[in-house]
mmCIF file of all heavy atoms in Angstrom:
data_model
loop_
_atom_site.group_PDB
_atom_site.id
_atom_site.type_symbol
_atom_site.label_atom_id
_atom_site.label_comp_id
_atom_site.label_asym_id
_atom_site.label_seq_id
_atom_site.Cartn_x
_atom_site.Cartn_y
_atom_site.Cartn_z
ATOM 1 N N MET C 1470 18.485 34.818 81.102
ATOM 2 C CA MET C 1470 18.198 33.567 81.812
ATOM 3 C C MET C 1470 19.463 32.794 82.176
ATOM 4 O O MET C 1470 19.425 31.878 82.986
ATOM 5 C CB MET C 1470 17.282 32.680 80.982
ATOM 6 C CG MET C 1470 17.987 32.098 79.765
ATOM 7 S SD MET C 1470 16.935 31.211 78.649
ATOM 8 C CE MET C 1470 16.284 32.548 77.685
ATOM 9 N N GLY C 1519 19.619 21.293 81.935
ATOM 10 C CA GLY C 1519 18.392 21.661 82.628
ATOM 11 C C GLY C 1519 18.532 23.043 83.232
ATOM 12 O O GLY C 1519 19.442 23.279 84.022
ATOM 13 N N LEU C 1520 17.643 23.960 82.841
ATOM 14 C CA LEU C 1520 17.691 25.339 83.344
ATOM 15 C C LEU C 1520 16.392 25.700 84.048
ATOM 16 O O LEU C 1520 15.333 25.154 83.744
ATOM 17 C CB LEU C 1520 17.906 26.329 82.193
ATOM 18 C CG LEU C 1520 19.242 26.312 81.484
ATOM 19 C CD1 LEU C 1520 19.256 27.380 80.394
ATOM 20 C CD2 LEU C 1520 20.399 26.538 82.441
ATOM 21 N N GLY C 1521 16.496 26.644 84.940
ATOM 22 C CA GLY C 1521 15.324 27.180 85.607
ATOM 23 C C GLY C 1521 14.852 26.323 86.756
ATOM 24 O O GLY C 1521 15.387 25.247 87.013
ATOM 25 N N PRO C 1522 13.817 26.794 87.457
ATOM 26 C CA PRO C 1522 13.306 26.100 88.640
ATOM 27 C C PRO C 1522 12.855 24.668 88.367
ATOM 28 O O PRO C 1522 13.043 23.790 89.181
ATOM 29 C CB PRO C 1522 12.122 26.966 89.090
ATOM 30 C CG PRO C 1522 12.317 28.286 88.440
ATOM 31 C CD PRO C 1522 13.115 28.046 87.194
ATOM 32 N N GLY C 1523 12.275 24.413 87.186
ATOM 33 C CA GLY C 1523 11.816 23.067 86.864
ATOM 34 C C GLY C 1523 12.861 22.222 86.180
ATOM 35 O O GLY C 1523 12.632 21.051 85.887
ATOM 36 N N GLY C 1524 14.021 22.793 85.910
ATOM 37 C CA GLY C 1524 15.088 22.059 85.235
ATOM 38 C C GLY C 1524 14.737 21.687 83.804
ATOM 39 O O GLY C 1524 15.118 20.633 83.322
ATOM 40 N N THR C 1525 14.012 22.575 83.112
ATOM 41 C CA THR C 1525 13.632 22.330 81.726
ATOM 42 C C THR C 1525 14.879 22.131 80.864
ATOM 43 O O THR C 1525 15.787 22.955 80.884
ATOM 44 C CB THR C 1525 12.809 23.523 81.178
ATOM 45 O OG1 THR C 1525 11.677 23.721 82.017
ATOM 46 C CG2 THR C 1525 12.372 23.288 79.754
#
Side-chain angles (χ1 to χ4, degrees):
M1470 71 187 84
L1520 292 181
T1525 303

